[in-house]
C-alpha cells in the first residue's frame, strides 16, 4: 500500500530533497531530531526491513553506500552520526515505507528511548 513517501517520490508533495537517483531518494525529515536529520528511502515500495526479500539486496546495499556519502557531504563523517530504521509498532515506525534516518550534528545519546 502506498504511503505519503510515494507522493514525495512522485513529487506530488514537496520535500527538501538532498539526493536522488533511480533507486533511492533522500530528503530532510519534517520533524528533525538533530541538526542533520535526513531520511533515505528506496523508490520501490517496501514496508520495512521485515519485508525485504533477496531481490532487494542491491537496493539495500546501494542505500547504505549512498547514506555514507550523504553523511560525508553533510559534514558528519569526522564526528560521527547514526543510521536508524524503525520497524513496526514497538520500533516506533509511523510511515510504512522503508526509511533510514540519518542523524548527526550533535552528540547522540544511547540507549534510545
Ligand atoms: P518513523 O517514525 O521511523 O516511521 O519516521 C517517519 C519520519 O517521517 C518522521 O521522523 C517524520 C517524517 N515525516 C513524516 N511525514 C513527513 C513529510 O511529509 N515530509 C517529510 N520530509 N518528513 C515526514
Amino acid at each position: 500500500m502506498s504511503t505519503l513517501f510515494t507522493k514525495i517520490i512522485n513529487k506530488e508533495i514537496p520535500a527538501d530533497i538532498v539526493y536522488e537517483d533511480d533507486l533511492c531518494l533522500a530528503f530532510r525529515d519534517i520533524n528533525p531530531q538533530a541538526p542533520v536529520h535526513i531520511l533515505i528511502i528506496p523508490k520501490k515500495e517496501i514496508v520495512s526491513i521485515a519485508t525485504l526479500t533477496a531481490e532487494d539486496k542491491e537496493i539495500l546495499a546501494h542505500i547504505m553506500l549512498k547514506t555514507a556519502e550523504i553523511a560525508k557531504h553533510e559534514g558528519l563523517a569526522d564526528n560521527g552520526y547514526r543510521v536508524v530504521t524503525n520497524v513496526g509498532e514497538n520500533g516506533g515506525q509511523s510511515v510504512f515505507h522503508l526509511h533510514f534516518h540519518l542523524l548527526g550534528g550533535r552528540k547522540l545519546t544511547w540507549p534510545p528511548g
Side-chain angles (χ1 to χ4, degrees):
M1 200 179 84
S2 294
T3 71
L4 67 97
F5 285 179
T6 295
K7 290 191 167 66
I8 290 176
I9 291 166
N10 293 334
K11 314 285 165 57
E12 290 163 12
I13 61 173
D16 186 355
I17 293 169
V18 299
Y19 178 78
E20 178 171 17
D21 62 28
D22 289 347
L23 293 178
C24 71
L25 183 71
F27 53 95
R28 294 189 194 279
D29 195 291
I30 205 166
N31 183 24
Q33 302 300 313
V36 176
H37 187 170
I38 292 168
L39 302 174
I40 304 95
I41 71 173
K43 287 192 168 174
K44 180 179 175 184
E45 288 183 340
I46 299 169
V47 173
S48 75
I49 61 163
T51 65
L52 286 171
T53 67
E55 74 175 25
D56 299 323
K57 274 183 192 171
E58 185 188 339
I59 294 172
L60 260 290
H62 180 77
I63 286 177
M64 289 297 99
L65 289 167
K66 289 300 163 189
T67 298
E69 280 181 26
I70 293 164
K72 191 173 181 187
H73 188 256
E74 292 287 322
L76 304 178
D78 287 346
N79 290 329
Y81 53 89
R82 186 171 295 164
V83 179
V84 177
T85 189
N86 297 324
V87 181
E89 189 182 344
N90 276 5
Q93 185 175 10
S94 61
V95 179
F96 292 89
H97 182 126
L98 176 63
H99 50 283
F100 293 88
H101 297 259
L102 168 63
L103 297 149
R106 67 172 172 83
K107 177 82 176 164
L108 299 165
T109 58
W110 190 265

